[in-house]
Amino acid sequence: GDSVTQTEGLVTLTEGLPVMLNCTYQSTYSPFLFWYVQHLNEAPKLLLKSFTDNKRPEHQGFHATLHKSSSSFHLQKSSAQLSDSALYYCALRPGGSNAKLTFGKGTKLSVKS
Amino acid sequence: GALVYQYPRRTICKSGTSMRMECQAVGFQATSVAWYRQSPQKTFELIALSTVNSAIKYEQNFTQEKFPISHPNLSFSSMTVLNAYLEDRGLYLCGARERGAYEQYFGPGTRLTVL
């Protein structure tokens, strides 16, 4: 079946340092990959989604590139901000299917000054 | 814009009782609605996927007898947790998507505490 593996637990960074949260996946079909961000007591919000034509999606300074050869969709940002502290979930949806998303276990990012 | 509301935001019920939660989509047509549970220390578990005019598909370990779902139109869905016990505690999220759309919009969740 489908699965998503991401950097587990807590990642603590100092403001201004680069961010990289790993995400690898297994799927029978060519999936779409997503990163969701969830701030405390809020709904998960879509941060990034993969494209089929190898474009690199970017949003709020974050970017991720889908590498089919390594089955990865790592989340990166050049300079962390305090407001980036949140839970980050990598998720996949198999190509051609309905709305079923498979989530990773989540990575808690804590950015300190 | 597209928004998803969930009611109630928090609820407490006694062990063995039932609790109904609602999900409302505004600004788009919720052709499909997925219900997830986020238990303490766990990621999102898909409970079931409901598509208007199609049968509701439940994931392994979740049944209609325990989590009956209603999806009567393109803006509303509800789910009931029947005979709730401690292991049913958690944040229940509703994710809605319009047919042909890429993004699934999530509500803020209903947090269930079972005493």
Side-chain angles (χ1 to χ4, degrees):
Chain A
D2 298 327
S3 67
V4 175
T5 302
Q6 55 178 118
T7 305
E8 288 193 28
L10 174 65
V11 173
T12 303
L13 288 174
T14 302
E15 188 180 17
L17 291 181
V19 178
M20 179 151 170
L21 304 182
N22 291 336
C23 174
T24 57
Y25 64 90
Q26 285 187 317
S27 181
T28 306
Y29 305 100
S30 291
F32 296 105
L33 272 292
F34 305 84
W35 276 100
Y36 281 86
V37 57
Q38 185 180 26
H39 289 93
L40 191 62
N41 297 324
E42 293 184 8
K45 294 177 184 175
L46 182 64
L47 182 61
L48 291 172
K49 56 192 177 189
S50 64
F51 289 96
T52 55
D53 57 359
N54 295 323
K55 286 182 182 176
R56 191 180 81 166
E58 295 192 29
H59 184 61
Q60 297 178 353
F62 286 94
H63 60 89
T65 302
L66 180 63
H67 290 289
K68 294 182 181 179
S69 58
S70 58
S71 298
S72 66
F73 191 57
H74 304 321
L75 182 67
Q76 295 178 274
K77 186 175 183 180
S78 59
S79 176
Q81 296 177 290
L82 295 176
S83 57
D84 294 331
S85 296
L87 272 167
Y88 291 82
Y89 291 94
C90 184
L92 73 80
R93 180 164 68 86
S97 79
N98 51 32
K100 178 178 176 179
L101 284 172
T102 298
F103 285 86
K105 292 186 177 182
T107 304
K108 185 174 183 179
L109 178 64
S110 176
V111 181
K112 300 191 182 301
S113 58
Chain B
L3 290 171
V4 176
Y5 296 96
Q6 287 188 250
Y7 310 100
R9 292 292 304 274
R10 293 177 178 272
T11 187
I12 301 172
C13 68
K14 291 183 179 180
S15 181
T17 63
S18 300
M19 189 279 147
R20 181 172 180 265
M21 53 192 75
E22 300 180 346
C23 173
Q24 184 162 16
V26 176
F28 70 105
Q29 294 184 328
T31 311
S32 64
V33 173
W35 285 93
Y36 298 86
R37 179 172 69 191
Q38 188 180 28
S39 303
Q41 310 303 322
K42 289 186 179 179
T43 188
F44 301 101
E45 295 178 278
L46 178 64
I47 297 171
L49 177 64
S50 172
T51 304
V52 171
N53 298 326
S54 294
I56 299 171
K57 295 180 182 178
Y58 285 83
E59 291 294 291
Q60 197 172 9
N61 301 325
F62 296 97
T63 65
Q64 184 180 5
E65 290 70 32
K66 172 73 174 177
F67 300 96
I69 290 170
S70 171
H71 188 186
N73 56 52
L74 293 173
S75 63
F76 182 82
S77 177
S78 67
M79 184 178 75
T80 302
V81 180
L82 293 175
N83 200 17
Y85 284 101
L86 281 176
E87 57 265 29
D88 296 318
R89 292 173 301 166
L91 182 67
Y92 288 82
L93 286 166
C94 158
R97 189 174 73 99
E98 191 166 23
R99 180 181 289 119
Y102 206 57
E103 182 169 351
Q104 185 171 93
Y105 297 97
F106 284 92
T110 294
R111 186 166 296 280
L112 174 63
T113 300
V114 182
L115 300 178

